Amino acid sequence: MAASPLFIGCATGFSGDRTDGAQAVVDSLAARGGGTLIFETLAERTLALAQLARNADVDAGFEPLLAELVGPVLASCLRHDIRIVGNFGAANPPAAARRIADLAREQGLPIPRIAVVHGDALADPGQHALLRERLGSRLDDMDVVSANAYLGAAEIAEALRAGAQIVVTGRVADPSLTVGPALAHYGWTLDDWPRLGRATMAGHMLECGTQVTGGYFCVPGLKDVPDVHAAGYPIAEIDADGGFVIGKADGTGGVVDSRTVKEQLLYEVHDPAHYLTPDVVADISRAFVQPIGPDRIAVRDIDGHARPGELKVNVCYRGGWLAEAEISYAGVQAEARARLADDIVRRRLGGALKVRTDLIGVVSILGDDAGAMLGNRPPGHARDVRLRLAAEDADARVAERLLREVTALYTCGPAGGGGVRTSLRPRLNMVSCTIPRDAVRSGWTMMETMP
Amino acid sequence: MTAEPIAVRVPLYRLAHSRSGDKGDISNLSLIAWDPDCYAVLASQVTDARVAQWFGYRHPTRVTRYLIPTLHAMNFVLEGVLDGGVNDALNLDTHGKSLSFHLLDLPVEVPPELARRLPDVPGDAVAATR
């Protein structure tokens, strides 16, 4: 069993994150003698969008920025024995693997051993019948785009132990991107709950990129962060018991301190004693943090309990059309004119659409769809406001009526309205359930043996 | 000369920090105290009932508070507050990312000697007026 600590760095926290974070992480891992670089690029809805891309083009459906993320660091990773694990395969992991092999060819590098994890996509009739059992007849009315189970760390670990230098996955639980390399490195058993619980929370700290290194943290005057424009991406140092220290790439901006670590530790957690993943139920109810050096925080006393019996599934389906339109008012009676414009549009639509109103500059974020917060506030005298209206409908032509009414305010609305912008976009909705583990046939394939 | 008041009303952001997370139509808001003294104030005053009331206009169906004393932190889980969640809501902030900063405007009462050493944001409109 390997005794040296395992270093895992994370270079993206979501699809759409910065793409220039990887180099500093790779340089830092190389300086520490190697490790694993992970990329997390799959939010809940990203996979459905990728599936739509794959439907349109059989070679698409993986992270669109894959080449930009992996290309610049591929040579250094191979040279320094830094493994790469990413869920950037999205809806088409084999195509992502081929793209990475192409990147290696283009750079004159030897073709790395690339493994592909499969089985997250639930497409066969038996799986559909199970989903219908769990979700009920509402599934029959859904125009389903994608249905994916959250896989765990086992396949990633097996592929790494079989010598994969790069592991491409679709939907796996975000922390499993970290637990997989830790399992492979230390040879823990799959029911070593305390160690899996700790490694899972190490993964949880990494999976949002700079959210633990000062990104998404700054409040000027209350929580300042040095050089936040150049915040470094995080690196976890995981020991043989799964305990870990969070740090960040050398020579970068940002900060890792007790506060940044605590914020990320609780991010998207419900019951702190039961953080559910496919691998384990992690328990941070007694955890504490301990500063052990500049930008180095140890997280102690995390526990783990037996993993959930079933796997979580997200089903994404087409959800009609979202119409959004905005118009601005400035100067005397600006707020009154914007409120009048809202009233005009609502009267014109006559209940054909359920419209949400926001008044940017007055109430636009904290209100609810019913508009109670805005409605209960006495009309004021804001002098720089932007009216924003939103509605949805299954029929694009009905939803579009909102856009036409707002556009018509140019000549028919209150005086001085300007800057109309409109958009009409298809929506993706989502439901979740769980299904038995044995209904999901997960596995992995090394690329040479792929058809 | 007037006697010093026994308690001063201050917004939560002077005692703690917070981050929102979302899963479906559920928002979780961490609330992390600067230190043990601040945590004691949160534990006694920032109850689940009070938070449910503070977010009343979002119609939470349930609010649960979890305490993590070892982190001087608590975690609030607010169900049904995201107008359907990131894929269904009509609002701009479909994730509810900004909700943590609404929580931080909640007023609490602290002893004057604690208030004196808390960080502040001069000129912020919320201050102690609520």
Side-chain angles (χ1 to χ4, degrees), chain A residues 44-45 210-212 215-223 258-260 262-272 275 284-289 312 316-317 322-324 326 354-356 358 360 364-370 372-373 388 390-392 427-430, chain B residues 13-14 16-24 26-35 55-59 66-77 82-102 104-105 119-121:
Chain A
E44 283 185 332
R45 209 167 31 156
T210 61
Q211 274 200 177
V212 70
Y216 214 67
F217 177 82
C218 244
V219 180
L222 291 173
K223 296 187 296 174
S258 296
R259 300 168 308 167
T260 68
K262 287 178 183 178
E263 277 198 20
Q264 185 56 23
L265 197 58
L266 292 171
Y267 178 66
E268 289 184 341
V269 167
H270 290 173
D271 178 354
Y275 183 70
I284 56 168
S285 61
R286 288 175 304 281
F288 67 96
V289 302
K312 181 182 173 183
C316 280
Y317 59 99
L322 173 66
E324 294 175 284
E326 299 181 358
K354 190 171 80 96
V355 177
R356 177 188 168 108
D358 292 296
I360 298 168
S364 66
I365 294 290
L366 294 173
D368 70 333
D369 278 359
M373 197 180 220
R388 181 242 179 204
E392 70 172 333
R427 306 200 88 180
L428 285 170
N429 290 349
M430 198 188 80
Chain B
Y13 67 70
R14 294 190 61 193
H17 53 121
S18 174
R19 175 176 289 176
S20 326
D22 72 296
K23 297 266 186 210
I26 303 173
S27 176
N28 89 283
L29 308 174
S30 61
L31 187 64
I32 305 160
W34 304 128
D35 60 34
F55 283 89
Y57 64 95
R58 286 286 191 129
H59 322 295
Y66 297 97
L67 299 176
I68 312 107
T70 45
L71 295 175
H72 307 130
M74 49 186 61
N75 190 40
F76 291 94
V77 178
L82 294 179
D83 286 330
V86 67
N87 302 312
D88 300 296
L90 292 176
N91 58 358
L92 284 163
D93 178 15
T94 52
H95 298 92
K97 295 281 188 185
S98 55
L99 295 182
S100 55
F101 279 82
H102 181 58
L104 290 175
D105 278 348
D120 201 358
V121 181

Side-chain angles (χ1 to χ4, degrees), chain A residues 165-223:
Chain A
Q165 293 166 290
I166 298 172
V167 181
V168 180
T169 81
R171 178 63 79 198
V172 301
D174 296 349
S176 301
L177 298 171
T178 297
V179 177
L183 275 169
H185 186 78
Y186 288 115
W188 302 327
T189 58
L190 290 176
D191 61 354
D192 191 340
W193 310 124
R195 286 186 173 84
L196 292 181
R198 292 189 273 272
T200 289
M201 294 319 291
H204 179 73
M205 303 307 288
L206 294 174
E207 73 191 38
C208 295
T210 61
Q211 274 200 177
V212 70
T213 60
Y216 214 67
F217 177 82
C218 244
V219 180
L222 291 173
K223 296 187 296 174

